[in-house]
Amino acid sequence: MLGYLAKDTDLLNYEKTGEQISTPNFIIENVSRRDVMKGMVATSGLVVAMQFMTTSEAQAFKPYPTGADGMPNKTVNDPHVFVAIDPDGTVSIVTHRSEMGTGVRTTLPMVVADEMEANWDRVKIVQAPGDEPKYGNQDTDGSRSVRHFLQPMREVGAAVRLMLEQAAAAKWGVDVALCKAKGHTVVLQSAGESPKVLGFGDLAVAAMALPTPARDKLTFKKASEWRYIGKNEIQIYDLKDITTGSAVYGADVSVPGMMVAVIARPPVVGASVVSFDDIATKKIPGVVAVIPLDGSMPPAKFAPLGGVAVVAKDTYSAIKGRDALRIEWGDSKHSVYNTETFKKEMAETAKKPGKAIRNEGDVDGALKSAAKTFTQDYYQPHMSHAPIEPVVALAVVKDGKAEIWGPFQSPYGARTDIAKSIGLKPEDVKVNVTLLGAAFGRKSKCDFGIEAALLSQKLGGTPVRVQWTREDDMKNGFYPTTSHERITVGLDANNKVTAWNHMSVAPTILSTFADDNKTGFFIEHGMGFVELPWEVPNFRAEMGESLAHVRIGWFRSVSNIPRAFAAQSFIAELAHETGRDHKEVLLELIGSDRKIDPKAQGFPEDFWNYGEPMETYPIDTARFKNVINLVAEKGGYGRKMPKGEGLGLAVHRSFVSYVATLVHVKMADDGTVTVPKVDVAVDCGFHIHAERIRSQVEGACVMGHSAAMHSKLTVVNGAIEEGNYDTHEVARMSNYPQNVSVHIIDHPFEVPASGMGEPGVPPYAPALYNAIFNATGKRARDMPLGDQLA
């Protein structure tokens, strides 16, 4: 129990009150669901868990099921774990999710503060260490934070409010029903008497000593009573620190006696050190040790690649020492991997029958009897996550204990993996979480934390910070898969689609964790592949065999990127091929308003709905169509464009949210592609903080632009060629989406919140390529764009 003052003050936390600074105006629009949903929810009722409550019911919201119970360590809603109150009235709220720019370090505590009636300027945020048995799941990935923890955090806040009111009632000797928390106080209003008021600080000890109330005793604020939720008035908690340069990231942490290490890792996955010469290295001033590290061959989860570590008194000396090493590397079975050869092999595999993952109707028969067939192929290379902050970790392993600091997306996962690697129990390891200077999935893998712990242990407890350089991160990281997507459709005499066959060939992320099965697994299959909502009688999604030769890892929106790129580009091409309007063909494919029944439509038994129950998060075609129509309206789809300009449309559902994107492209005389405007329509269910959604969508458009226009990794003889932003390019100030307008469909709390960190990425690339085609008449089918328009 935290009591009335958080005892975890030795955590790496950012203890300050919620100061705010001014920010520029931004373009954002909340769209009434009545304007867009056209009565859909009111008439169809969604599902039982999503029925709207009357005003009187709103104070005891009916919980709806989410996929949180399927996650390790589920959720926790104990107010004694998440909230502490100082005698001076300061409210400390623990945030157990990692902050990488999404705003979750603000958003979830904001929910707690609102429900408990705390004044935000009296709130202090404390970052939790990796401890899922205490806090619940901490894997900050999969766009799950709000959709899994919105309800528990409302329960935490409501429980604290009731505990404060109970403590005040006991102090005044009155019925608790007469006491009401309001504005960081509890007020007693008796007829004919002046109100009595006690501050939260006055009640801190007594309130936090009370047991956690049962959920059926809690009341919840009505939407009209919310002070922060949905109001878009609270800035992110760390904004001032980030803006002024005082925020604490992984490389900012230091302890007395700390050494810095950089590691020469094998250029090819699975290669090992045959021999090394460190004579010149040891002559570099500041170098204190040269330590070989054992390597690993996938499947090895997040085990380090191994190599030779140079430990020095500072980063510069460590890098200079590493540069002076002479290493002979052994061979690896992955030395055969070459990008261009592999690209051709995937294309050939895509032409052959594969493993059917979803098979509805008779695709082969329908294709044979079709009046016409149409086929196209699409390609995505490996890319680097390229976060602005390369991975880094500091470790102290001494006397049977270990303490780690770093930008971990999954701090408890890191804790258990690090403990195993150094032979300790998880309870003897503490993982502290700093701010993450972007992550995109890379920092879910804790190899960098394991490296730091191993080196500290080998040096007898000396604190060691392992610093990855940009080149390390690009050449020795985990990468999104490369893929070849081939789509074939059959058309009838009226150019209506009668059969859809999608062949995907892509090395699987499963190869990082288990023996490579060559065709992926249910999580990858559920990302824009088997669950496409087309109302077509014959549908097949099949996988071709492909082996992984690099470490495959999560990337922002994962396999949704190549699948959305393929499907949404293909539909635009199909429209052009048949002389029809793109939007018309897209809406026709989606078909009637319905909630898709996976069993009735040939989905695999292990169909993955982003881990969420279908009754709460159905695949709803009306919501698909609503975002398409909204973005078309807001972006002026269909208007006549000047010469050299074009609009491109795409839509995708991922992480149980619906996003439609309309990109406006302008071609310069020299062929340069510029994007003066992007409109994005978002349906993510109930939302807490519109500004954070807008921020995520803007970032997603920039990241999508990087992937579509610039980013790729080239592998030659198993080794990554690119090493920095000069060769693995990203969007720059001179060429990025200049104006992003985000149109958010408003929903009440009873329409469950869905993911928003990732869904903005997948529709961007196809919308951009569709716009380029409409501006130039030239179609590109490989990412990145490169010189395909030449």
Side-chain angles (χ1 to χ4, degrees):
M1 181 184 295
L2 290 176
Y4 64 88
L5 177 64
K7 302 300 182 183
D8 291 336
T9 52
D10 58 330
L11 310 183
L12 182 70
N13 59 50
Y14 321 105
E15 297 189 349
K16 59 183 179 59
T17 55
E19 300 174 68
Q20 295 194 12
I21 61 177
S22 61
T23 54
N25 293 329
F26 52 79
I27 301 172
I28 190 165
E29 180 179 3
N30 283 35
V31 182
S32 167
R33 65 185 179 85
R34 289 190 178 90
D35 293 341
V36 180
M37 304 299 275
K38 299 176 181 177
M40 176 194 69
V41 175
T43 57
S44 63
L46 284 182
V47 291
V48 172
M50 298 170 68
Q51 295 290 331
F52 299 154
M53 301 176 192
T54 66
T55 302
S56 62
E57 292 172 323
Q59 286 188 284
F61 76 83
K62 182 179 180 181
Y64 52 81
T66 71
D69 283 349
M71 295 296 295
N73 295 296
K74 304 180 182 181
T75 62
V76 171
N77 62 356
D78 186 348
H80 298 95
V81 168
F82 286 99
V83 178
I85 306 175
D86 281 359
D88 67 359
T90 299
V91 173
S92 295
I93 302 177
V94 173
T95 180
H96 69 302
R97 310 292 280 184
S98 300
E99 179 58 77
M100 62 198 85
T102 63
V104 69
R105 199 172 122 83
T106 301
T107 304
L108 291 178
M110 189 177 79
V111 172
V112 175
D114 201 333
E115 277 291 353
M116 69 176 283
E117 268 298 314
N119 290 342
W120 188 250
D121 61 0
R122 307 288 300 279
V123 169
K124 180 172 66 176
I125 305 298
V126 178
Q127 186 70 45
D131 191 349
E132 287 187 3
K134 181 176 182 179
Y135 300 108
N137 184 266
Q138 294 180 275
D139 293 336
T140 315
D141 55 21
S143 301
R144 283 185 288 251
S145 292
V146 169
R147 76 177 192 256
H148 284 184
F149 283 93
L150 170 59
Q151 294 180 102
M153 292 303 103
R154 284 196 72 186
E155 291 164 354
V156 167
V160 175
R161 173 164 41 84
L162 178 55
M163 292 158 66
L164 287 162
E165 291 168 347
Q166 288 172 335
K171 193 162 189 175
W172 286 320
V174 299
D175 191 303
V176 68
L178 300 175
C179 302
K180 184 174 180 61
K182 188 70 176 175
H184 226 81
T185 66
V186 177
V187 179
L188 170 64
Q189 181 68 66
S190 300
E193 297 181 13
S194 299
K196 295 180 179 179
V197 179
L198 288 170
F200 281 7
D202 301 322
L203 300 166
V205 177
M208 299 312 291
L210 292 171
T212 300
R215 192 190 188 283
D216 62 7
K217 301 298 182 184
L218 303 181
T219 59
F220 297 89
K221 295 170 72 173
K222 304 172 187 177
S224 61
E225 297 173 320
W226 287 334
R227 301 169 61 192
Y228 315 130
I229 298 171
K231 301 301 183 184
N232 206 39
E233 296 174 358
I234 301 296
Q235 294 171 343
I236 59 171
Y237 184 77
D238 302 290
L239 181 60
K240 183 177 181 181
D241 286 351
I242 292 170
T243 306
T244 59
S246 58
V248 178
Y249 294 93
D252 295 319
V253 183
S254 63
V255 297
M258 182 188 77
M259 299 289 133
V260 179
V262 296
I263 301 170
R265 299 174 185 85
V268 180
V269 169
S272 58
V273 176
V274 174
S275 64
F276 68 93
D277 180 347
D278 62 358
I279 294 174
T281 295
K282 290 181 176 178
K283 293 179 181 178
I284 302 292
V287 171
V288 299
V290 178
I291 302 173
L293 292 172
D294 292 337
S296 61
M297 174 71 79
K301 197 182 178 185
F302 308 140
L305 290 170
V308 181
V310 177
V311 184
K313 294 180 180 179
D314 56 77
T315 306
Y316 178 79
S317 300
I319 291 174
K320 294 295 288 184
R322 183 176 66 173
D323 290 345
L325 283 172
R326 296 294 176 263
I327 302 174
E328 179 185 355
W329 297 103
D331 201 6
S332 165
K333 66 180 182 180
H334 298 300
S335 298
V336 300
Y337 189 35
N338 289 278
T339 295
E340 288 306 312
T341 302
F342 196 74
K343 180 181 179 183
K344 293 175 183 177
E345 291 173 354
M346 288 195 299
E348 287 302 312
T349 299
K351 296 175 183 177
K352 303 171 186 177
K355 177 183 177 181
I357 309 300
R358 174 185 170 189
N359 200 358
E360 180 184 7
D362 179 6
V363 171
D364 291 332
L367 290 174
K368 288 179 182 178
S369 63
K372 180 181 180 180
T373 62
F374 183 64
T375 300
Q376 292 296 356
D377 297 78
Y378 305 89
Y379 171 76
Q380 173 190 282
H382 293 300
M383 295 176 283
S384 172
H385 299 80
I388 194 66
E389 173 201 38
V391 292
V392 58
L394 167 62
V396 182
V397 181
K398 190 174 183 179
D399 299 329
K401 303 285 185 181
E403 187 162 13
I404 323 292
W405 294 260
F408 297 103
Q409 277 186 256
S410 181
Y412 187 69
R415 178 180 171 184
T416 56
D417 285 355
I418 291 170
K420 183 178 180 180
S421 72
I422 57 177
L424 295 181
K425 298 176 181 178
E427 53 265 33
D428 292 325
V429 176
K430 183 177 183 181
V431 172
N432 303 295
V433 184
T434 65
L435 291 177
L436 284 63
F440 312 127
R442 172 60 183 98
K443 292 167 186 172
S444 289
K445 299 94 173 171
C446 62
D447 52 334
F448 56 100
I450 295 173
E451 289 173 335
L454 287 170
L455 288 172
S456 179
Q457 187 178 56
K458 288 177 181 290
L459 289 170
T462 298
V464 177
R465 182 170 74 207
V466 168
Q467 179 65 63
W468 287 49
T469 64
R470 174 69 57 211
E471 288 75 13
D472 294 336
D473 205 34
M474 288 194 178
K475 290 178 177 290
N476 299 118
F478 293 79
Y479 310 108
T481 191
T482 180
S483 84
H484 186 101
E485 311 289 326
R486 181 179 178 87
I487 299 176
T488 299
V489 297
L491 303 170
D492 66 15
N494 296 315
N495 286 325
K496 300 291 182 67
V497 176
T498 58
W500 176 283
N501 193 88
H502 186 162
M503 163 65 81
S504 180
V505 184
T508 173
I509 196 172
L510 189 64
S511 62
T512 297
F513 303 91
D515 290 340
D516 194 336
N517 71 358
K518 303 181 185 180
T519 55
F521 73 131
F522 66 95
I523 289 179
E524 292 165 307
H525 300 158
M527 293 184 172
F529 186 50
V530 302
E531 83 285 15
L532 291 179
W534 314 147
E535 197 166 30
V536 174
N538 306 288
F539 184 106
R540 184 166 61 208
E542 53 184 335
M543 294 292 303
E545 291 191 352
S546 180
L547 279 171
H549 292 288
V550 298
R551 297 193 296 178
I552 308 295
W554 299 289
F555 186 89
R556 189 179 185 183
S557 74
V558 209
S559 294
N560 284 290
I561 296 177
R563 268 68 175 277
F565 174 58
Q568 295 298 308
S569 295
F570 181 86
I571 294 168
E573 291 205 65
L574 177 63
H576 178 74
E577 177 73 11
T578 56
R580 301 175 63 193
D581 176 72
H582 174 201
K583 175 169 166 276
E584 176 188 321
V585 173
L586 179 56
L587 292 173
E588 181 180 272
L589 268 171
I590 294 171
S592 60
D593 290 0
R594 67 199 187 284
K595 295 175 182 67
I596 291 175
D597 181 348
K599 291 183 179 179
Q601 295 204 223
F603 285 29
E605 290 185 5
D606 60 359
F607 167 62
W608 188 70
N609 189 36
Y610 298 91
E612 302 300 332
M614 288 295 292
E615 65 268 25
T616 307
Y617 295 98
I619 301 171
D620 191 329
T621 60
R623 293 173 79 172
F624 266 105
K625 292 190 288 184
N626 285 331
V627 291
I628 292 169
N629 288 325
L630 177 61
V631 82
E633 174 194 342
K634 297 297 183 181
Y637 176 89
R639 72 182 189 272
K640 186 175 181 180
M641 302 297 291
K643 183 179 179 181
E645 298 185 34
L647 294 175
L649 175 66
V651 68
H652 193 69
R653 175 187 184 267
S654 64
F655 305 93
V656 293
S657 287
Y658 304 78
V659 176
T661 301
L662 189 71
V663 173
H664 176 188
V665 156
K666 186 175 183 179
M667 305 296 297
D669 292 339
D670 63 359
T672 300
V673 178
T674 60
V675 179
K677 178 76 181 299
V678 181
D679 283 275
V680 183
V682 172
D683 184 347
C684 58
F686 175 76
H687 61 82
I688 301 171
H689 203 315
E691 189 277 333
R692 286 291 86 205
I693 295 172
R694 166 257 180 188
S695 177
Q696 287 301 290
V697 171
E698 282 189 335
C701 289
V702 172
M703 193 167 188
H705 193 82
S706 295
M709 293 292 297
H710 307 294
S711 300
K712 69 174 180 178
L713 292 174
T714 307
V715 186
V716 177
N717 298 328
I720 303 292
E721 294 279 281
E722 291 78 10
N724 213 313
Y725 292 130
D726 59 334
T727 49
H728 183 278
E729 295 185 56
V730 296
R732 299 175 182 268
M733 292 295 290
S734 59
N735 183 16
Y736 73 104
Q738 297 165 16
N739 182 348
V740 178
S741 293
V742 184
H743 314 284
I744 305 169
I745 296 176
D746 278 330
H747 288 289
F749 177 81
E750 293 74 35
V751 178
S754 49
M756 208 53 243
E758 296 163 273
V761 178
Y764 185 87
L768 175 68
Y769 279 39
N770 293 340
I772 290 171
F773 175 79
N774 290 332
T776 66
K778 297 179 180 179
R779 170 62 64 174
R781 300 185 182 93
D782 288 2
M783 294 171 60
L785 184 66
D787 59 0
Q788 294 178 78
L789 300 184

